[in-house]
Amino acid sequence: MKNHNYEALQEELKKRPNILITTHRGPDGDAMGSSLALYQVLKAQGYEVSVVVPNSYPKFLHWLPCNKEVVEFEGNEEKAQALIDDAELIFCLDFNDLSRTDMMSESLQNSTATFVMIDHHQDPSDFANIMFSVPGISSTAQLVYEFNEQMGWNKLLTVDIAQCIYTGLVTDTGSFRFSSVDTRTHEIAAKLIELGLEQADIHQKLFDNNKESRLKLLGYCLSEKLEVLPEYHTAVMSLSQEELDQFNFVKGDTEGFVNYALSIDGVILTAFFVQNENKVKISFRSLNDFRANLLSKKHFKGGGHINAAGGIFEGSLEEAIHKFKTLLPDYKKELIANR
Ligand code: 5GP
Ligand code: MN
């Protein structure tokens, strides 16, 4: 398959297909920002478009323009399935393997639509008919901006669309700090601001909306649950269901916690374990060239980017942490080399 096949996509669009936009399970700022930006750009051209996401996403993203149009598959299976059945062209944003859509993957697999992938993760699988995959780029939102430009659609950008793209840029780059950020990321941010976007307002909406209980959960996690393993330049944190309940946890509350441990001097790998029924969701973050995605893929059925990855462990919290710690000696050399 030819990557970046704009001609093939133009041909598909000439048929005026019913379009569906989807993204990965547990949508984040990049997933939602990219999806809602593309939604509005296609709507502006008169296409029939819907956005169906596998499950719910954090409240701090609900202010995004057109958020009301989003259908969550989980809990609305009938409505979501009808939209999937009607779709003739499906845009897959911010993921590169159908398994990342989890509860929606079977429905997508059974669809006869043409699949278009726009994504920035490593090693795309070949489920898409038309692919726009740039693993080095810092966010799918940046790729959506470039894609719009190539398609000649950037003249359709509005402040609302700019807000969606900017949200993806900010949330996937740690507010423009990760090494994946390039001059183009800043150039695009500048163009969005020229359109009338107020960046202080977006940062405030994304980051200054803590509930007291979330901040206290973070405080508890850092003071009671943080373990540093200096020998391995690694830090571990975890939260059990009981602890989450104690702080009235709601989805999204633990977002970003894993990064705090990475700010400790000398630490280049952090793992954050959160209990979710009989599974454990794990977030990995790393510095330099330590490949967190490979560790996650090999041992925790996961993947992601070099410095930000995630995975799953089926079993108890204690077992998950134990497994991780017993792996560390195998990675000691790589950890020290990246110090
Ligand atoms: P987070 O720690 O924020 O949940 O995830 C960080 C990154 O890791 C995500 O942007 C995503 O690319 C990747 N990721 C998270 N969970 C999984 C997973 O279960 N499987 C795969 N393949 N990647 C994941
Ligand atoms: Mn992303």
Side-chain angles (χ1 to χ4, degrees):
M1 188 195 321
K2 191 170 140 213
N3 200 356
H4 300 185
N5 198 340
Y6 291 97
E7 296 77 25
L9 181 60
Q10 297 282 17
E11 283 308 307
E12 290 299 323
L13 288 170
K14 275 188 199 153
K15 302 178 197 162
R16 305 299 296 177
N18 265 339
I19 301 176
L20 183 137
I21 299 171
T22 191
T23 187
H24 57 79
R25 181 208 164 102
D28 56 10
D30 190 30
M32 293 314 302
S34 300
S35 297
L36 289 173
L38 184 62
Y39 170 82
Q40 293 174 81
V41 168
L42 290 167
K43 267 276 171 196
Q45 298 170 78
Y47 289 100
E48 200 57 55
V49 199
S50 59
V51 180
V52 180
V53 302
N55 62 345
S56 63
Y57 47 97
K59 276 236 158 55
F60 71 82
L61 295 170
H62 288 194
W63 62 270
L64 282 167
C66 295
N67 177 64
K68 283 197 311 292
E69 307 303 324
V70 179
V71 176
E72 291 171 12
F73 184 89
E74 191 171 59
N76 305 287
E77 281 84 356
E78 232 170 85
K79 184 175 180 190
Q81 187 60 55
L83 291 168
I84 296 171
D85 290 343
D86 283 348
E88 293 157 309
L89 190 65
I90 298 184
F91 279 93
C92 297
L93 265 52
D94 202 37
F95 69 93
N96 65 13
D97 189 287
L98 281 183
S99 66
R100 293 281 289 130
T101 63
D102 204 343
M103 55 285 280
M104 237 175 103
S105 64
E106 203 182 317
S107 300
L108 290 174
Q109 249 148 25
N110 291 332
S111 162
T112 54
T114 298
F115 281 78
V116 185
M117 176 205 297
I118 304 183
D119 180 64
H120 69 137
H121 294 89
Q122 313 277 331
D123 306 324
S125 66
D126 64 359
F127 73 90
N129 306 88
I130 303 172
M131 199 157 93
F132 302 92
S133 166
V134 185
I137 206 164
S138 66
S139 64
T140 297
Q142 180 168 339
L143 194 46
V144 165
Y145 184 92
E146 304 291 23
F147 170 82
N148 283 336
E149 188 157 284
Q150 292 295 324
M151 294 294 285
W153 295 347
N154 268 350
K155 55 182 182 295
L156 301 171
L157 295 193
T158 60
V159 175
D160 278 0
I161 298 171
Q163 289 182 344
C164 293
I165 295 176
Y166 191 82
T167 293
L169 297 186
V170 168
T171 54
D172 254 30
T173 61
S175 302
F176 301 103
R177 64 169 285 188
F178 298 153
S179 55
S180 54
V181 171
D182 53 21
T183 55
R184 188 66 181 151
T185 317
H186 286 287
E187 232 168 64
I188 291 170
K191 286 184 193 297
L192 300 177
I193 291 167
E194 276 169 16
L195 271 171
L197 171 110
E198 298 197 24
Q199 86 277 3
D201 178 50
I202 309 290
H203 283 263
Q204 200 174 328
K205 280 179 170 140
L206 290 171
F207 304 117
D208 298 343
N209 55 7
N210 273 314
K211 290 185 281 69
E212 185 182 343
S213 58
R214 177 186 185 254
L215 218 57
K216 287 188 167 159
L217 178 63
L218 172 63
Y220 168 80
C221 193
L222 294 176
S223 71
E224 306 296 323
K225 305 300 305 279
L226 171 67
E227 186 184 358
V228 181
L229 308 163
E231 190 186 352
Y232 299 111
H233 303 290
T234 294
V236 178
M237 291 194 298
S238 65
L239 287 169
S240 66
Q241 190 63 58
E242 219 171 37
E243 290 166 323
L244 294 172
D245 292 345
Q246 203 184 317
F247 290 90
N248 303 317
F249 168 83
V250 293
K251 200 171 201 132
D253 277 358
T254 56
E255 201 107 346
F257 282 18
V258 63
N259 296 305
Y260 285 91
L262 201 60
S263 70
I264 300 167
D265 187 26
V267 166
I268 73 134
L269 173 66
T270 64
F272 179 41
F273 301 80
V274 181
Q275 192 179 7
N276 187 353
E277 288 164 11
N278 49 0
K279 287 186 196 151
V280 180
K281 166 84 182 91
I282 314 162
S283 285
F284 298 101
R285 296 291 185 271
S286 69
L287 292 180
N288 307 325
D289 297 327
F290 186 88
R291 290 163 298 179
N293 52 351
L294 290 194
L295 186 150
S296 187
K297 188 174 179 184
K298 193 160 171 202
H299 304 288
F300 296 101
K301 299 179 187 151
H305 311 281
I306 291 175
N307 295 135
I312 286 282
F313 179 84
E314 289 179 35
S316 74
L317 198 55
E318 291 69 28
E319 287 165 339
I321 297 169
H322 178 74
K323 175 171 177 178
F324 176 69
K325 285 184 178 171
T326 56
L327 292 172
L328 287 174
D330 294 343
Y331 288 91
K332 190 170 178 178
K333 240 181 164 171
E334 197 182 335
L335 287 162
I336 289 171
N338 280 290
R339 167 70 182 93

